[in-house]
Amino acid sequence: MPPQTHNTLLLFFFFFFLIVAVTVQFTATMAATATNSGDLPEFREAPAFRNGRECPKTTPWSSTVDKNSHNPSLIHIAMTLDATYLRGSVAGVFSVLQHASCPENIVFHFIATTHRHADLRRVIAATFPYLSFHLYHFDAGLVRGKISYSIRRALDQPLNYARIYFADLLPAGVRRIIYFDSDLIVVDDVAKLWGINLGRHVVGAPEYCHANFTNYFTQRFWSNPAFTASFKGRRPCYFNTGVMVIDLWRWREGRYTEKVEHWMRVQKRFRIYELGSLPPFLLVFAGDVERVEHRWNQHGLGGDNLVGLCRDLHPGPVSLLHWSGKGKPWLRLDSRRPCPLDSLWAPYDLFRHSSLFSDS
């Protein structure tokens, strides 16, 4: 073989293996990127919702230098964010903005764990470019040693307990917060809920005194006078913790985080309830909440915690529909086995279905 031909072949194989090596590295990098952020759902961009003329002028939360100063013109809403319920969270935010009289005066406070913090921020910012929001890191270690297993795995996730720590996570300038679960839509002006008078109470929520309250605790709880004494002087009624108005100033003053954590520690030792983060809230607040109209939490639309069968609305007007329970509307719609009321959630779904936006 002539030397010139030999050198040409060597150069050919050198560049060939160089291209292969670069391609492998590029593919690995892209795969890692997809693993880190590509499995989150993608959403259509929401339209811009603007204030009406009657709305008070205020400095946007994102532009506020001192977030420890109180701004009475702002409405603060807290929600948790994670990959599993992100589609529901986005629908919830969209529904709030669409029905708000002063949407630019609403600030969302999202709570997330470290794992997907940056990716979740990117999704929210891309879906709601005009939204005033802040994303907080929730340290799952705060509750991991305090959680005992419940009847449904979703109820055992650390983020499900983040609502206990709002007073610690949010700036001092946030004196009141509305907490919304990630499986609901609002079909009324949220300012009406925000404006309720809590009086001396720390928490406001719809109460359901016809529910059998004894079912939320085990026989070990009811047979122990030291435990049942916690309800002395108040008539405890069930309330759903997926929709709450919370006075964070009073919460901080009364050290209520410690009071809820106390019952979580009792649960670890004695197994006094079965339902995740709800019972310790009931132990601290049931019978001592400001009653909110039932229209603000038409809950249970996801069925029970085990089967998730279809449910009807409760009698009366509706301002908020809540798919609490096992069945979630986006899962039932995707499986083509929706419940009748899931059609009310569908118009707020911004999920970008791949079948509608690709040629494949």
Side-chain angles (χ1 to χ4, degrees):
M1 178 182 296
Q4 188 175 1
T5 304
H6 178 73
N7 291 337
T8 301
L9 286 173
L10 287 176
L11 284 172
F12 171 79
F13 283 114
F14 171 77
F15 283 111
F16 173 77
F17 286 114
L18 179 63
I19 292 170
V20 170
V22 171
T23 302
V24 170
Q25 179 62 39
F26 176 77
T27 303
T29 302
M30 293 301 292
T33 301
T35 300
N36 290 333
S37 61
D39 59 343
L40 287 180
E42 294 186 4
F43 302 94
R44 304 188 303 278
E45 182 180 314
F49 295 97
R50 300 302 187 188
N51 283 355
R53 293 181 179 179
E54 72 283 359
C55 296
K57 301 292 183 181
T58 184
T59 304
W61 174 263
S62 57
S63 304
T64 303
V65 176
D66 183 11
K67 290 184 170 57
N68 289 321
S69 61
H70 175 60
N71 186 340
S73 298
L74 297 178
I75 294 174
H76 296 279
I77 298 175
M79 299 178 73
T80 58
L81 284 183
D82 66 358
T84 304
Y85 286 90
L86 184 58
R87 191 167 163 189
S89 300
V90 167
V93 173
F94 185 35
S95 72
V96 169
L97 297 175
Q98 183 166 326
H99 295 282
S101 56
C102 301
E104 293 180 273
N105 291 9
I106 298 175
V107 182
F108 279 87
H109 301 266
F110 297 115
I111 318 297
T113 55
T114 306
H115 178 51
R116 306 308 298 271
H117 206 271
D119 296 331
L120 291 167
R121 179 187 295 278
R122 172 185 56 79
V123 170
I124 294 297
T127 308
F128 301 102
Y130 310 97
L131 187 68
S132 294
F133 76 92
H134 192 79
L135 185 60
Y136 304 82
H137 165 238
F138 176 66
D139 180 7
L142 287 172
V143 294
R144 187 162 283 124
K146 304 181 183 76
I147 297 176
S148 57
Y149 70 91
S150 62
I151 63 174
R152 203 171 112 230
R153 184 178 177 183
L155 302 176
D156 301 337
Q157 301 306 308
L159 200 56
N160 196 43
Y161 292 80
R163 69 197 81 183
I164 300 168
Y165 298 92
F166 289 153
D168 302 319
L169 290 168
L170 274 58
V174 183
R175 297 185 182 179
R176 171 185 285 213
I177 198 81
I178 296 175
Y179 171 71
F180 283 149
D181 267 351
S182 296
D183 52 1
L184 58 79
I185 57 171
V186 177
V187 293
D188 201 347
D189 187 355
V190 75
K192 299 176 184 177
L193 178 61
W194 176 258
I196 67 168
N197 182 3
L198 288 178
R200 63 175 182 81
H201 297 106
V202 179
V203 171
E207 281 189 314
Y208 302 89
C209 294
H210 63 276
N212 188 347
F213 193 81
T214 59
N215 289 340
Y216 295 98
F217 302 94
T218 64
Q219 184 58 39
R220 174 172 285 186
F221 174 85
W222 293 114
S223 63
N224 189 324
F227 295 157
T228 57
S230 61
F231 292 123
K232 185 177 181 180
R234 53 191 172 119
R235 181 196 174 196
C237 293
Y238 164 77
F239 68 94
N240 181 278
T241 55
V243 178
M244 295 185 289
V245 182
I246 304 173
D247 186 327
L248 292 182
W249 187 85
R250 289 182 181 273
W251 184 291
R252 295 179 181 114
E253 185 181 50
R255 304 172 71 93
Y256 280 93
T257 297
E258 296 177 14
K259 294 177 181 180
V260 177
E261 285 182 327
H262 162 74
W263 285 111
M264 293 169 66
R265 285 190 289 270
V266 171
Q267 162 72 352
K268 288 289 287 186
R269 291 186 60 193
F270 298 104
R271 189 69 182 178
I272 60 174
Y273 54 78
E274 307 286 351
L275 276 175
S277 64
L278 168 64
F281 261 89
L282 296 179
L283 285 160
V284 174
F285 294 109
D288 192 22
V289 304
E290 179 62 31
R291 294 186 178 182
V292 175
E293 288 184 86
H294 287 174
R295 67 189 303 151
W296 284 105
N297 196 353
Q298 285 270 355
H299 68 287
L301 303 186
D304 61 31
N305 279 302
L306 297 175
V307 181
L309 299 176
C310 296
R311 293 276 182 87
D312 293 326
L313 288 175
H314 307 293
V318 179
S319 293
L320 183 151
L321 297 100
H322 186 187
W323 278 261
S324 58
K326 185 177 182 180
K328 302 306 174 189
W330 57 92
L331 297 177
R332 296 195 292 217
L333 287 164
D334 285 355
S335 67
R336 302 183 186 277
R337 291 183 294 178
C339 290
L341 292 178
D342 295 343
S343 62
L344 300 177
W345 181 89
Y348 302 96
D349 184 17
L350 293 175
F351 178 59
R352 190 185 293 271
H353 292 269
S354 58
S355 59
L356 298 179
F357 294 92
S358 68
D359 296 329
S360 58

